[in-house]
Amino acid sequence: DAGVIQSPRHEVTEMGQEVTLRCKPISGHDYLFWYRQTMMRGLELLIYFNNNVPIDDSGMPEDRFSAKMPNASFSTLKIQPSEPRDSAVYFCASSSQETQYFGPGTRLLVL
Amino acid sequence: AQKVTQAQTEISVVEKEDVTLDCVYETRDTTYYLFWYKQPPSGELVFLIRRNSFDEQNEISGRYSWNFQKSTSSFNFTITASQVVDSAVYFCALSEADRDDKIIFGKGTRLHILP
């Protein structure tokens, strides 16, 4: 298996623009997680899905963030409008039987 | 409440030395899982090991070994004969059974292996 795939790997955008991050989980995994990592706050869980259904989005910082999982092989995290404080590395992870495997991350810079 | 504490924020050792990364956890569950992840300078998060609460056997994988002690709620990680490539941030993590595979991460220990 190719592992968790994320795109893009790097994104530079201007404040106010919409940003969409994409994730393809490992086939057969029934959980999908979105995290954000910054120096100040470390690794934060934003939202997670089970069988494509959002279970807990209490970590989503504000309404500008939204996530979807239209099918078992694809998820998106959208930020609209983006702000400089959203600059971070965003990780997607998928799991089956308690172990999470992470994608390579998307490094987002909002100018 | 569940919590993972990695008291060592940063450690530097000279290559070939042994180094132990400490991890202390808190949970009220009797069934739980403990993990270590490695984040090298390239940034990806790499799964290293998972341990369930009923298996206190220590584990060795090459130069890596893990010591799980329920009596002290610790799950320490030792690298023997460290190498420069071991330089990374190491995260200890905890997951409780029936919690949707959610993991609580420690804040990480940044390990520098000096040549």
Side-chain angles (χ1 to χ4, degrees), chain B residues 96-109:
Chain B
E96 293 173 337
D98 301 325
R99 293 292 179 97
D100 290 338
D101 290 6
K102 277 180 69 172
I103 292 180
I104 301 298
F105 285 88
K107 295 199 179 300
T109 296

Side-chain angles (χ1 to χ4, degrees), chain A residues 13-83:
Chain A
T13 190
E14 291 189 345
M15 185 173 69
Q17 296 296 306
E18 177 179 296
V19 174
T20 299
L21 311 181
R22 298 172 176 79
C23 175
K24 177 178 167 53
I26 293 172
S27 176
H29 282 190
D30 48 2
Y31 284 95
L32 184 139
F33 302 81
W34 281 101
Y35 291 87
R36 177 172 69 176
Q37 186 178 37
T38 60
M39 289 294 291
M40 292 294 293
R41 301 171 75 98
L43 201 55
E44 303 173 273
L45 176 63
L46 301 177
I47 184 172
Y48 73 96
F49 297 81
N50 177 223
N51 293 322
N52 315 338
V53 177
I55 303 300
D56 183 355
D57 64 355
S58 59
M60 297 284 260
E62 46 198 277
D63 292 346
R64 298 184 297 106
F65 286 69
S66 63
K68 292 182 180 178
M69 192 165 186
N71 57 62
S73 57
F74 184 64
S75 177
T76 59
L77 178 68
K78 188 175 291 188
I79 309 172
Q80 165 64 15
S82 58
E83 296 182 3

